[in-house]
Amino acid sequence: MFKKVLIANRGEIALRVIRACKELGVETVAVYSEADRESLHVRFADDDVCIGRAPSRDSYLNIPRLIAAAEITGADAIHPGYGFLAENPEFAEKVSASNITFIGPTPDQIRQMGDKAAARKLAKAQGVSTVPGSPGPVESLEEGQKVAEDIGFPVIIKAAAGGGGKGMRVANDADQFAQSFTLAKQEALAAFNSDEVYIEKYLARPRHIEIQIMGDTYGKVMHLCERDCSVQRRHQKLVEEAPSPAVDQTLREDIGDAAVKLAESIGYVGAGTIEFLLDADGAFYFMEMNTRIQVEHPVTEMCTNFDLVKEQIVVAAGAPLSFVMNGNRLRGHAIECRVNAEDPSRNFQPAPGLITAYHPPGGPGVRVDTHIYAGYTVPPYYDSLLAKVIVHGNTRTEALARMRQALDSFIIEGVTTTIPFLGRVMRHPDFVAGKVDTKFLEREPQLLKDQT
Ligand code: ADP
């Protein structure tokens, strides 16, 4: 086992990794930017190093400083969390070259899946269905137009290096295509330093279904069932649940097998998520793979009783998977709501600032993963996630009731949050009935309006 793990991240995920390390008896190192001096991850880690100024490129994205921090503190492993450098193959490579273990897949595996156009090809080669679209990257506008005409509008143009809902543009018809194609390429270049794009058919009302997988260094890969992340805004997740109300045991096994096959084909090591779109007729299509722990991992933990972050660390240290999952292991139902410092009525504009009062919900089956406290100032430099409220119930109905009461009793004062909006989603008849798809919020704009 490792002696000391450096966490190359901040916020709730840094705390989450520290907790896992403490349970394993492993020491921790927090890194922080000048804006995060007062952060809880700094307080709870055994050691801490300031790695630079507030903007991420000067701190959390600065590879030499992170590696220097690990060397100075004697850390023998680095956990990247999610976001920042978690899916950066050069980072994983440089960590290993410094004789430090990267807690995650190999640089090659990150590379293979990080290029979404290449990952699609790989899935196809394994017999896993993909959304109809271009066989690979699309070079020119003319080629793109031809692909779009062939598969039929609407289509979605996506950055091959994309992530976080960026670099994606929908084109509803041939007239719109040229503009969307150009915009997608520009956005991709600005956000990911590569203007490579590919094209998919834009499905009308899909659900976002993803499979949690875990692999060890002995070639064993297993899946831990699905999460349903269909409640989205601009292709970004807001609410997640497990199991999916739209997936029965047969479909679960089919999607799970497809995910395992794909991960096995590259000898995948560590935690990963394979994302699919599920059509109303039960057909599912591979979309992409995320080669890291995800924000929404707790819903899987609540339904399986396995600690995914501890497992990441154990597997990276060279141990075999410590548990065997079979499809029937799910117990009860879990829902996660992402509480952000944002104003839904103002287009989800970020609302950083001082938190003047804080009281989290509690009681049976309620978990809050957060880094905030009364007196904490939410800095404007990073993403606006304040807390994740995760509930578990014996049934979906119980989980829903639990989430409503948890949100209603969650006090965060001083900054505008998405709590009231999430409460409305939890009461919407379509969500209650489990009948939502990724276009749900587009159809229900009144949910975004402040009703107090
Ligand atoms: P990112 O890597 O930026 O998260 P994804 O490829 O995972 O992007 O897609 C994010 C979301 O965009 C999906 O969950 C879905 O809502 C929407 N989306 C992506 N591709 C399609 C498609 N072909 N048809 C319909 N919706 C799509």
Side-chain angles (χ1 to χ4, degrees), residues 116 158 163-165 200-203 208 232 235 275 288 438:
K116 289 164 68 170
K158 292 184 169 184
E200 280 178 0
K201 179 151 188 72
Y202 192 56
L203 302 181
H208 175 116
Q232 300 183 351
H235 306 140
E275 299 189 335
E288 65 159 346
T438 59

Side-chain angles (χ1 to χ4, degrees), residues 34 134 150 298 322-323 354 395 437:
E34 285 172 9
S134 56
D150 286 350
S322 68
F323 52 80
L354 174 69
T395 60
D437 55 76

Side-chain angles (χ1 to χ4, degrees), residues 114-175:
D115 179 334
K116 289 164 68 170
R120 258 169 73 83
K121 272 194 181 164
L122 198 70
K124 258 195 185 152
Q126 291 301 316
V128 176
S129 58
T130 54
V131 188
S134 56
V138 171
E139 304 297 336
S140 67
L141 179 59
E142 294 69 44
E143 187 190 345
Q145 260 154 344
K146 175 146 191 343
V147 171
E149 298 285 354
D150 286 350
I151 56 179
F153 288 97
V155 298
I156 183 165
I157 304 141
K158 292 184 169 184
K166 282 191 230 132
M168 284 194 293
R169 287 274 164 167
V170 177
N172 288 305
D173 51 45
D175 289 344

Side-chain angles (χ1 to χ4, degrees), residues 213-222 267-272 311 315 321:
I213 59 138
M214 188 65 87
D216 65 18
T217 48
Y218 304 88
K220 170 100 186 125
V221 177
M222 66 175 174
Y268 192 79
V269 177
E311 195 66 9
V315 159
L321 287 170

